[in-house]
Amino acid sequence: MLTLYGHPLSSYTQKVLIALYELGTDFEFRHIDLGDEGDRALMRSVEPMGRMPALREGDLVLSQSSLMIEWLDRHHPGPQRLLDPDPDASLPARQWDRFLDFQVMQMMQQIVDARIFMAEGAEERVAPFARGKLDLAYAALDRHLDGRDWIAGGFGLADCAAMPALFYAGAIHPFADHPRLTGYFERLVARPSVQRVIEGARPFYGWFPFKDGIAARFL
């Protein structure tokens, strides 16, 4: 049996959950509370840095969300592949997956970390740079989505990355002035797999310190 270790509010946990739901894979979800020393010790025993999420099947443990999704698509395929099996044909999806993780998710996380974990005044120093990068990323996505329903062919790896990245980034720095990106986000949140993730996280959204933009109706 597959076991996914994570938390419903965790963006990278959500990314893998979407893939699991899309594939229809049977798995056990091990809810991790990092406020609990036992769960922290468990994650340190599973993942080198003690970070969520982690995926285990037998003796195999994977600890990077993109790698988990590629492995799931290869070894637990569903009705539709999440990544083209041809290495060259899959490069656009991998590229946009990395773009969403680094240029959207990480920029969003810098602002969150500055507000929650850093000294007073840190957000005022960090946020302008991160928001500027988000503006560039939103514009690039809006251009790319011209004539496309999904980021790289059919729904796949990059779209699994896009949902939590855009959900949380959009609650901090709205993208409503990018119509193609806005329409894409609405298609994302209409998918049953994404709706399951949103409902699973809903009891914990009060912990998220920003509630603006297009994602506000869920928070």
Side-chain angles (χ1 to χ4, degrees):
M1 173 66 72
L2 282 167
T3 302
L4 178 67
Y5 301 81
H7 190 281
L9 196 64
S10 156
S11 56
Y12 289 111
T13 299
Q14 292 181 0
K15 178 178 168 180
V16 181
L17 282 171
I18 292 167
L20 285 162
Y21 294 150
E22 289 282 338
L23 295 170
T25 308
D26 289 333
F27 70 101
E28 176 188 357
F29 183 64
R30 175 59 166 86
H31 184 129
I32 296 295
D33 176 5
L34 292 180
D36 179 85
E37 175 53 38
D39 279 3
R40 291 199 301 273
L42 173 62
M43 286 309 303
R44 289 193 297 269
S45 74
V46 171
E47 202 277 335
M49 298 295 290
R51 297 175 302 186
M52 300 182 290
L55 184 71
R56 181 196 293 275
E57 184 171 57
D59 294 331
L60 175 69
V61 179
L62 302 174
S63 60
Q64 295 292 329
S65 60
S66 300
L67 187 65
M68 292 179 209
I69 294 172
E70 291 200 35
W71 184 86
L72 286 166
D73 193 50
R74 191 178 305 136
H75 294 282
H76 295 271
Q80 180 175 315
R81 299 298 299 266
L82 299 178
L83 197 66
D84 195 303
D86 179 78
D88 288 341
S90 68
L91 286 175
R94 288 192 173 95
Q95 174 177 291
W96 283 103
D97 168 70
R98 298 291 76 210
F99 179 93
L100 286 151
D101 279 0
F102 294 141
Q103 304 303 325
V104 181
M105 189 94 77
Q106 286 193 9
M107 292 302 106
M108 173 276 297
Q109 194 63 53
Q110 286 185 21
I111 301 171
V112 173
D113 289 348
R115 176 169 294 192
I116 297 177
F117 300 114
M118 297 182 188
E120 185 177 352
E123 186 177 346
E124 287 72 17
R125 296 191 299 274
V126 169
F129 171 82
R131 290 178 186 273
K133 291 293 187 181
L134 285 173
D135 283 334
L136 292 173
Y138 293 164
L141 285 163
D142 197 68
R143 290 192 301 271
H144 177 73
L145 286 163
D146 188 13
R148 293 181 171 89
D149 286 337
W150 307 111
I151 289 180
F155 186 95
L157 169 67
D159 305 293
C160 294
M163 184 272 159
L166 292 172
F167 185 95
Y168 287 120
I172 294 172
H173 191 63
F175 48 80
D177 55 343
H178 296 285
R180 289 183 288 268
L181 181 57
T182 299
Y184 169 71
F185 182 79
E186 294 295 346
R187 289 192 294 277
L188 274 178
V189 298
R191 289 187 77 85
S193 61
V194 173
Q195 291 178 2
R196 289 181 68 179
V197 166
I198 290 172
E199 286 307 308
R202 197 178 295 280
F204 307 99
Y205 280 145
W207 298 355
F208 190 67
F210 298 87
K211 295 176 175 62
D212 198 0
I214 196 168
R217 67 183 187 271
F218 302 106
L219 294 169

